[in-house]
Every structure is written in C-alpha cells, then in structure tokens.
Amino acid sequence: MRTSPDCLPCFLRQIAHAARLATADPDRQKLILERAAALLPAFDLSRSPPENSVALYRLVAELADCPDPFANLKQSSNAAMHALRPRLLQSIRAAADPLLAAMKFAAAGNIIDYGSQQDFDLEQTLAACLARDFAIDDATKLSAAIDRLGPADTVLYLGDNCGELVMDGILIEMLAGRGLRVVLALKEYPIINDATVVDAQKLGLDRFCAVISNGTGCPGTPLASCSTLFQREFRRASLIISKGQGNFETLSEAAGPLFFLLAVKCSVVGQHLTGYAERQQPLPACGEMALVRGRFFP
Amino acid sequence: MRTSPDCLPCFLRQIAHAARLATADPDRQKLILERAAALLPAFDLSRSPPENSVALYRLVAELADCPDPFANLKQSSNAAMHALRPRLLQSIRAAADPLLAAMKFAAAGNIIDYGSQQDFDLEQTLAACLARDFAIDDATKLSAAIDRLGPADTVLYLGDNCGELVMDGILIEMLAGRGLRVVLALKEYPIINDATVVDAQKLGLDRFCAVISNGTGCPGTPLASCSTLFQREFRRASLIISKGQGNFETLSEAAGPLFFLLAVKCSVVGQHLTGYAERQQPLPACGEMALVRGRFFP
C-alpha cells in the first residue's frame, strides 16, 4: 500500500517517541525532529509507509548516536510475554479450537505492542482478545489451508514485534508439531521494536523452526530489497503468515500464498484493509484484530 | 509558554486536518503537508505554539486558495450551541451557584471544541461537565475577584472558539448584569475555528459587551503583536478572563489580572499548567477543565 499524506504527521509523532528513547538531551531531540520534518517533503508516497520510515529511524540512530533506541523496551516486552507463556499454552490447550486460539493470541500480541507506551494489564487484555472475534475473519480459510499442507510444504512466518514473538512462537510450534517445515523471518537490523534473529534465538524459537532475517532494517517486508535467501523462501513457501501492520503495508500487493494476521493500529491501514478485503462494513477501528487472506492467494 | 518539540508532529497533524477542510484535491493536500513539514525546522521554539502555528495556517489558506477553511464548521457549531442556549440558561438559573455553573459551561464549551471532529452528544457532554469538578479549581478566587469589582471596572474577556462563544456570552451577560463594563476580544482574521467579531455580532453578544478584535490572526493572544486598541483594554482591565488553550499558551507569562478558563487538550499544555499552578497532583488529562488564577495576578 502507498503512503498516505496522513502518514506524514504520524511519522513525526513516532520519531518524537523514538528520539525521547534514543537521547535524554532535549536539544538533540529537537534537532532530530527538525531534521526529520525536513526529510518528509522528499518522501515518495507511492512507496509503502514502512519503506519511507527507514530514513527517519536512521536519522534518530545517527543523530542520537544510538543504533537501537528500543533495545530496553524490546527486552522487557520479550521477558514479560515469555513469563506469561505457560498460561497462554494452558488457555490454548483448553480451547475448543486450539489452532484458532493460537492465532488469536498472535493477533492479540500485536495489539499489546501498544503496551510499550502505556500501563497495560497484559493478562486481562489477552483474555479479552481471546473472547473477541476477528473484525475481518478468514480464520477458517487459514485453518483449511494449513490442513491441506503436507511434510513437503514450507510455511514462511513473517514476524513483527518483540513481545508478541512469544505468541508467534506458540503458533509456530503448533505448525511444526504437524510435521511442517516452518521458516521464521525477522529483521536483519534493529528497527523500532521489531524482532531480530537474536530475539528469536534467545526465546528458543529456533528449536521449532529455521530462523532467518529478511535482509533489511525496514519495519516490514519490502520484497525487492530483501536478501536472496529470503526471496527464495518467499517463492518456495506453500503458505505465508504475515504478522502485523508493517508486513501488510509492504506486502498487500505481493503475489504469494499470503494470510495477514494483524491488529489494526491506524485509520490509514484500517481503510486500506477494508477495501482490500472487499468488506462492506465500516473499517476496523484501531485495536481490532484482522485475519485476512491475501488478495493474490493462488 | 514555549513550543515543545512535541508540538511539531501535532502541528502537522492539525495541518492535515485543515488541508482536508480547505481542499478536496489530494495532490494539493499532499503539497500543503510537505510545505508545512519544510517550515517546521525554522520554527523558534522560544515562541508559543499558537504564534508558530500562524505560518502553517497561512500556508493552507494560500496553497488551497481558501482563506477560511473552517467557515462551515464555525457556523454549524455556533448554530448548534445557540440552539441549546435556552436549556443552558435554565440549568444555570436552577444551579446552587449560577455564576459557577456559567463558568463550568464556558469551560465545557471549550471541551466541545472536539465535537467539530467527531460525533458528539452535546447535551450529555454538557450535563456531565456541570457535574464535574475543575481539575485545577480557582473558581472561588475568580468569584471573589468578580465580587470585588464595581461599576468603574472593566472585565476583558478573551474569547476562543466558535460554538463555545455562546457559553462565553452567557457568562458575559451575567457579568454585565452586575453593572460591569465587559469587553469581549476575538480574532481579527479567521484562524482555525476561532471566533471573530462577526461571529459575536451574529450571536447578538454585542448587546451585553463591547466586541473588539485583538488585531491578530493568531489562535491566541500574542500581546506584542496585538493592536494598540486591544493593548489599551488589556492594560486598563481590572479582570481578564482568558478562554482556551491558545490564550493560555500565549499569555501564561504575561503580567495582568488574569484568570485562565480552559479545557486541557494536549499533554504539553497539561504539563505546563501543572507546573504553572504549582500543583503537586499529576497533570490534568486531556479533556479536563481548569480554572487557574494567573501567576502574575496583581
């Protein structure tokens, strides 16, 4: 999807947040914001928002001399979610449809991404998410697609943020338990709170799947810029589960056996998703969960 | 108060809104946002946010060839609030302390400013506001200051937005009913949804007070740029009631017999207000009402 003019103010708001994490010096924060604002007019709005955002986060890293401003947040969200893992597993096993429950927790984890900025009752939010329906619900289609897979098939799982990576891991473990080959792709370089290969290794996810990077430091999956290795896995995958907004924004027009599993976090994506899924009802409000089969699913 | 770096993204968000009102052409909206972003680095953060915002709104007016993008919104908010006036008067007359009730409605009207962007149950909001306390409450001090005034005294009332101007009018009518000379100052040129002299005249407010402009098209009261006439009224006033965030942002450090009556609409102002009022409790959340005696009240 393209960058909307409405993304420009939002970029700057996010950069203000990143700048505060990256440096405590108000003058430096101000400089970052000013320089970020000066970059906006040059943005190519035909590119996706995550692709355009890369230059802004690079600016924060350089001007604050801080290559990974979100490092602490990422670590604490991984730890908090990992501590909840036994109880998540318990809920999933007790559910009428454990695979659906795991999908919902994975989407719920994407909502909890918000938590990094606010006080948040993790358990309560997760319980509420499990009780909620997907605003766009292709869960039956995804379950059927999984059921059709055999041992020769590969599932490519595109991860998003730290924290929710724990829930991604549970879903991946269930897929691996069916004898499928699963490849988890994360980011090559730190960007916002996106998970990298090291995060997955620390959480032990490499016990159930191959963990690779997509070769970029973009908060999404800009196919043309991704590594050859990643592109090969993308082409050979029988099923691709794409987590989060950034991956949807960069892959909504990509050909492939894609399902998008995400929490809608802004009205621009909500609107695009409504049209994308040819949905008549009003677009999902921010915080709603969506599971959408890709328009170019073969 | 100074402009915070956090104001920069917010400026751009507000300009996106103004651009949508000013022109339906997406290319023009995009151009406006890009040009607005390019202006941000040159802003002098030692000036107040309303002063810095003027150049941005001028840009919208020029690039969209639309001198008053908020004209329709202003008219409809004036009409909606005017229709409620009889019921507001009834509530005020029935209140234990009618003057306090009028102050609360005036602050509540400042909250309802939000209404221009969303669905809003006017009556319910007003009823809820009347039942709520001021987050910072100098109402007793303001009532006492009013009680001390005599016929030789002038009250200068600094208006803010259309819509709430109806509530301002009720409070002004009560002050005039005490035999006080009241001067209502509004904006010389259209800026955002701020009221101008014509708005006050159309609502018949000139029956109870002199209506003047402050000589600017700034969404606040930047004293040094105001007209000589306005500055004279500012100096001679025995009491100044300043409505809304914009007037607080521009006048928080001004010497004068000031009371600030406002709804807090952003965390930057909330934070400044907390320090300003030497308040120990956490800053008022967005949407909370404050009535604060000026720090330099003689």
Side-chain angles (χ1 to χ4, degrees):
Chain A
M1 60 176 272
R2 298 163 59 90
T3 298
S4 156
D6 282 331
C7 299
L8 302 181
C10 189
F11 283 144
L12 215 53
R13 188 182 54 74
Q14 293 179 56
I15 291 305
H17 179 225
R20 264 196 299 273
L21 288 176
T23 171
D25 175 1
D27 291 334
R28 195 58 64 98
Q29 293 170 359
K30 174 175 169 280
L31 179 70
I32 291 169
L33 271 169
E34 290 174 351
R35 296 275 288 273
L39 283 185
L40 299 183
F43 278 7
D44 176 359
L45 300 197
S46 71
R47 301 172 75 208
S48 68
E51 287 169 281
N52 274 319
S53 76
V54 170
L56 296 171
Y57 284 100
R58 192 181 301 138
L59 193 75
V60 177
E62 286 173 6
L63 291 179
D65 196 18
C66 175
D68 191 2
F70 291 79
N72 288 337
L73 270 181
K74 290 195 287 186
Q75 208 169 351
S76 61
S77 60
N78 279 340
M81 223 60 104
H82 187 68
L84 277 184
R85 192 174 181 275
R87 260 172 294 176
L88 296 178
L89 281 174
Q90 212 171 12
S91 285
I92 287 171
R93 282 182 196 131
D97 183 342
L99 188 62
L100 178 65
M103 291 174 198
K104 280 200 175 173
F105 274 138
N110 197 234
I111 294 181
I112 286 171
D113 176 28
Y114 285 122
S116 55
Q117 288 167 60
Q118 291 166 28
D119 279 339
F120 220 78
D121 186 327
L122 261 187
E123 291 199 58
Q124 201 185 336
T125 306
L126 285 168
C129 289
L130 203 56
R132 251 164 73 186
D133 288 328
F134 284 111
I136 303 178
D137 189 355
D138 283 344
T140 313
K141 289 178 191 162
L142 177 54
S143 293
I146 291 170
D147 285 341
R148 280 195 301 272
L149 299 176
D153 289 308
T154 292
V155 179
L156 175 62
Y157 196 103
L158 310 178
D160 188 13
N161 303 311
C162 286
E164 67 182 279
L165 189 57
V166 171
M167 283 84 151
D168 297 328
I170 293 175
L171 185 49
I172 286 170
E173 189 179 343
M174 291 174 80
L175 295 172
R178 292 173 168 237
L180 300 167
R181 175 177 178 258
V182 187
V183 176
L184 169 62
L186 301 167
K187 309 300 151 47
E188 174 85 19
Y189 309 105
I191 179 79
I192 320 180
N193 62 338
D194 284 40
T196 62
V197 171
V198 175
D199 292 308
Q201 287 166 340
K202 279 191 187 160
L203 290 170
L205 270 56
D206 48 355
R207 286 175 293 152
F208 312 109
C209 58
V211 183
I212 65 170
S213 92
N214 70 12
T216 79
C218 170
T221 307
L223 259 186
S225 314
C226 288
S227 67
T228 314
L229 172 70
F230 175 82
Q231 290 182 357
R232 198 163 48 223
E233 293 290 358
F234 194 92
R235 276 195 308 271
R236 81 183 269 197
S238 304
L239 178 68
I240 303 172
I241 299 175
S242 161
K243 268 299 291 290
Q245 277 202 173
N247 287 326
F248 172 70
E249 289 169 77
T250 41
L251 290 172
S252 61
E253 311 310 317
L258 280 151
F259 275 84
F260 299 103
L261 182 56
L262 68 155
V264 180
K265 291 173 190 169
C266 81
S267 59
V268 172
V269 168
Q271 209 153 356
H272 189 72
L273 203 52
T274 305
Y276 187 85
E278 289 170 4
R279 195 167 177 270
Q280 299 306 315
Q281 303 104 298
L283 58 107
C286 292
E288 284 205 75
M289 308 187 296
L291 175 47
V292 190
R293 188 170 72 167
R295 193 186 274 174
F296 308 101
F297 196 93
Chain B
M1 59 178 271
R2 298 164 56 91
T3 298
S4 156
D6 283 330
C7 299
L8 302 182
C10 188
F11 281 144
L12 216 51
R13 189 181 55 73
Q14 293 180 55
I15 290 306
H17 178 225
R20 263 195 301 274
L21 289 176
T23 170
D25 175 1
D27 291 336
R28 195 58 64 97
Q29 292 171 359
K30 173 175 169 278
L31 179 70
I32 291 169
L33 270 169
E34 290 173 351
R35 296 277 287 275
L39 283 184
L40 299 182
F43 278 5
D44 176 359
L45 300 197
S46 71
R47 300 173 75 207
S48 69
E51 286 169 282
N52 275 319
S53 76
V54 170
L56 297 171
Y57 285 100
R58 193 180 301 137
L59 193 73
V60 177
E62 285 174 7
L63 291 179
D65 195 18
C66 175
D68 191 2
F70 290 79
N72 289 337
L73 271 181
K74 289 194 289 185
Q75 209 170 348
S76 62
S77 61
N78 279 340
M81 222 61 104
H82 187 67
L84 277 184
R85 191 174 183 274
R87 259 172 296 176
L88 297 178
L89 281 175
Q90 213 171 11
S91 284
I92 288 170
R93 283 182 195 131
D97 183 342
L99 189 63
L100 177 66
M103 289 174 197
K104 280 200 174 172
F105 274 138
N110 198 233
I111 294 180
I112 287 174
D113 177 29
Y114 285 122
S116 55
Q117 288 167 60
Q118 291 167 29
D119 279 339
F120 219 80
D121 186 328
L122 262 185
E123 290 198 59
Q124 202 186 334
T125 307
L126 285 167
C129 290
L130 202 57
R132 252 164 74 188
D133 288 329
F134 284 110
I136 304 178
D137 189 355
D138 282 346
T140 313
K141 289 179 190 161
L142 176 55
S143 293
I146 291 170
D147 286 341
R148 280 195 301 271
L149 298 177
D153 290 308
T154 291
V155 178
L156 176 61
Y157 196 104
L158 310 177
D160 188 13
N161 304 311
C162 286
E164 67 181 277
L165 189 58
V166 170
M167 283 84 150
D168 297 328
I170 294 175
L171 184 49
I172 286 171
E173 189 180 344
M174 292 173 79
L175 296 172
R178 293 172 167 236
L180 299 167
R181 174 176 178 260
V182 186
V183 176
L184 168 63
L186 301 167
K187 309 301 152 47
E188 174 85 19
Y189 309 105
I191 180 78
I192 323 178
N193 63 338
D194 284 40
T196 61
V197 171
V198 175
D199 292 306
Q201 287 166 340
K202 279 191 187 158
L203 291 169
L205 270 58
D206 48 355
R207 286 176 292 153
F208 311 110
C209 58
V211 182
I212 64 170
S213 91
N214 70 14
T216 80
C218 169
T221 306
L223 258 187
S225 312
C226 288
S227 67
T228 315
L229 171 70
F230 175 82
Q231 290 184 357
R232 198 161 50 222
E233 292 292 357
F234 194 92
R235 277 195 307 272
R236 80 183 268 196
S238 304
L239 177 67
I240 303 174
I241 299 176
S242 162
K243 266 300 289 295
Q245 278 202 175
N247 287 325
F248 173 69
E249 290 171 74
T250 41
L251 289 172
S252 61
E253 311 310 317
L258 278 151
F259 275 85
F260 298 103
L261 180 57
L262 69 156
V264 180
K265 292 173 191 170
C266 82
S267 59
V268 172
V269 168
Q271 210 154 355
H272 189 73
L273 204 52
T274 305
Y276 187 87
E278 290 170 2
R279 196 167 176 269
Q280 300 305 315
Q281 301 105 299
L283 58 107
C286 291
E288 284 206 74
M289 308 186 296
L291 175 48
V292 190
R293 189 170 72 168
R295 193 185 272 173
F296 308 101
F297 195 94

